[in-house]
Amino acid sequence: MRSDASDDALTTLLLPFEQGLLDWPADGGVLFLRARDGYALHARPRPGLICEQGFRPEAERLERSGLVVRQPPEDEPARWPLVMLLPPRQRDESRALLARAVASCAPGGRVLACVPNNEGAKSAEDDLRRLAGPGRALSKHKCRAFWTAPLDAPPDPALLAQWRGLDAVRPVDGGRRLSRPGVFAWDRIDAASALLIEHLPTSLAGRVADLGAGVGVLAQAVLERCPGVTALDLYEAESRALELARRNLADARVPVAFHWHDVTAGIDARFDAIVMNPPFHAQGRGDRPDIGRRFIEVAASALRPGGRLWMVANRHLPYEDALAGAFAGVQVHAQRDGFKIVEATRATGRPR
C-alpha cells in the first residue's frame, strides 16, 4: 500500500460504498481508471477489481498490494457494471477519460469519480453530468465524489464521441513530434528543456541516456546535435509519454531502447553521457527536490568513468550537495528564466 500520506481522493471515492449509497457489483468486474493504491482500497474485499495505471511507480504499488494491474489499452472491448476513476487535472484529458468511462459501462452500469475540490471537482462533476445525465454526489475530506444513475445510453452520443477524441495523438511543434493532452508540456517544448537544448554540446558521444524522457524532446535534440552518439536509451515512468517517444524516434539513425521505468529505483546499464530534465514533483503540486536528488544519484552510478551529465533544474532547488557528493566536477553553464544548466563529470578511473 501507499507509504505516503493518506489519499483523500481515494478515500472519498470509496465512501458511497461505505455509506450504503452504492453496492459493489456482485459479478462482471469493476474497472478502476487512473487507479492508486491506499488503505481505503483494502478496507474490505473488492472482488473483480481491475486497476489501470500507466504511471510506473503507482502501478508497482498496486502490484505489490496484490491487485490486478494493466496499462491503458487504446480501445476498451469489455463492458463493466462499474467504472471508477480519479480524473486528471488537464481538462481535455479529464473529459476524454470521463467519456471513455461512460462508453465502457455495461447496460445498467455506473460511473463513479472523485476529484479534490481545489483541482476542479465541480467542473469535473458538471462534465460527467453533461455526458451521462443527472446523478448524485457527496463531499468529504475536501474532495467530491460523484456518480451516475444506471446507464443504458448516453443522452448526447455526439458529445460522447467528441470528448473521447479530446486527448487524441496529434502533431505539435510544426509537425516535429507527436503528443497528446495530459503528458508533460504536451503542446510545446517547456522552457527548461528549451534552455538545455540551447546549451547542449555537440561533443556528446557513445551510448547516451535520457532520464525522464517524456515524449522524447531531449532525445531528439541529442540525435540532431551530437553526431558521435551511437546508441540512445530513454527511461520514462509514464507509459502514455513513452509510447509517444517511441513513435517520435521511430526513424532514429542509431539503435534506441525504450524503458517503462521508475528512474528512482535505479538503472543497471552504463552510459558515456546522460541528459535529463528531472521531475521536481510527484503526482501532487508541492516541490519534491528529493526526486531530483535521486535522479542525480542514479545518473552518477550509471555513468562510466569520465562520463558527463547534462541537466536542467529549477534554480531554487537545492541540488548542489547531491551533485558535489556524486561527481568530480560540476559546472553551471547558464542561469535564465528561473532555471540552471549544469554539467557534472564523473571522475576518471573511479570504480564502478
Side-chain angles (χ1 to χ4, degrees), residues 6-345:
S6 61
D7 189 332
D8 290 336
L10 177 64
T11 300
T12 306
L13 177 76
L14 297 170
L15 274 181
F17 305 108
E18 306 301 321
Q19 297 183 3
L21 302 174
L22 288 175
D23 295 322
W24 191 267
D27 52 47
V30 175
L31 178 62
F32 187 3
L33 305 176
R34 295 294 198 278
R36 298 199 294 262
D37 191 32
Y39 173 78
L41 204 56
H42 303 270
R44 61 176 60 191
R46 312 284 181 190
L49 179 63
I50 303 294
C51 297
E52 184 177 294
Q53 177 56 259
F55 184 57
R56 185 67 172 178
E58 217 43 91
E60 290 176 340
R61 291 187 186 103
L62 291 160
E63 290 170 345
R64 286 195 297 268
S65 290
L67 297 168
V68 178
V69 185
R70 72 178 193 183
Q71 291 188 58
E74 286 301 315
D75 296 301
E76 178 55 66
R79 294 294 179 264
W80 307 80
L82 175 65
V83 181
M84 304 192 302
L85 69 155
L86 296 167
R89 294 191 186 96
Q90 208 280 338
R91 190 69 180 276
D92 284 347
E93 185 190 12
S94 174
R95 283 179 163 176
L97 195 66
L98 287 166
R100 184 184 152 209
V102 171
S104 299
C105 275
R110 297 178 188 264
V111 173
L112 166 65
C114 184
V115 176
N117 294 339
N118 64 357
E119 295 180 13
K122 285 297 294 180
S123 295
E125 182 183 2
D126 291 343
D127 284 344
L128 183 58
R129 300 295 173 255
R130 289 180 64 185
L131 288 170
R136 297 185 63 182
L138 64 81
S139 294
K140 191 76 172 178
H141 307 303
K142 298 182 180 180
C143 299
R144 190 167 181 86
F146 44 95
W147 60 96
T148 67
L151 296 173
D152 290 318
D156 190 341
L159 182 66
L160 182 76
Q162 176 190 343
W163 282 13
R164 288 201 72 179
L166 286 177
D167 72 338
V169 175
R170 67 202 72 179
V172 297
D173 193 21
R176 282 175 49 80
R177 66 187 58 84
L178 297 172
S179 190
R180 66 192 304 182
V183 300
F184 174 67
W186 79 270
D187 58 350
R188 66 195 187 281
I189 298 179
D190 66 285
S193 294
L195 187 63
L196 179 55
I197 291 170
E198 179 183 333
H199 291 273
L200 201 64
T202 60
S203 57
L204 299 184
R207 187 179 180 187
V208 178
D210 181 355
L211 306 188
V215 302
V217 170
L218 292 180
Q220 284 182 311
V222 166
L223 291 178
E224 291 169 0
R225 294 173 64 95
C226 307
V229 171
T230 57
L232 190 58
D233 287 67
L234 279 69
Y235 292 83
E236 171 55 44
E238 177 53 63
S239 62
R240 284 162 51 94
L242 187 65
E243 181 54 36
L244 290 164
R246 192 185 305 275
R247 295 172 66 174
N248 288 329
L249 280 84
D251 298 324
R253 60 176 176 80
V254 302
V256 182
F258 300 89
H259 309 273
W260 184 47
H261 185 72
D262 175 11
V263 170
T264 66
I267 54 181
D268 294 329
R270 294 294 178 265
F271 300 96
D272 300 293
I274 290 174
V275 298
M276 67 184 191
N277 177 7
F280 58 91
H281 57 79
Q283 292 189 315
R285 293 182 181 272
D287 282 359
R288 287 283 307 277
D290 58 300
I291 298 177
R293 287 194 293 267
R294 179 58 182 155
F295 265 62
I296 290 168
E297 293 170 357
V298 170
S301 67
L303 282 169
R304 296 188 175 104
R308 300 154 69 192
L309 166 68
W310 279 79
M311 67 173 286
V312 60
N314 288 52
R315 191 161 55 188
H316 72 278
L317 293 178
Y319 292 151
E320 285 72 18
D321 288 348
L323 287 162
F327 290 92
V330 178
Q331 182 178 357
V332 177
H333 286 271
Q335 297 191 62
R336 194 176 75 209
D337 301 328
F339 301 105
K340 54 191 173 188
I341 304 300
V342 179
E343 178 189 11
T345 305

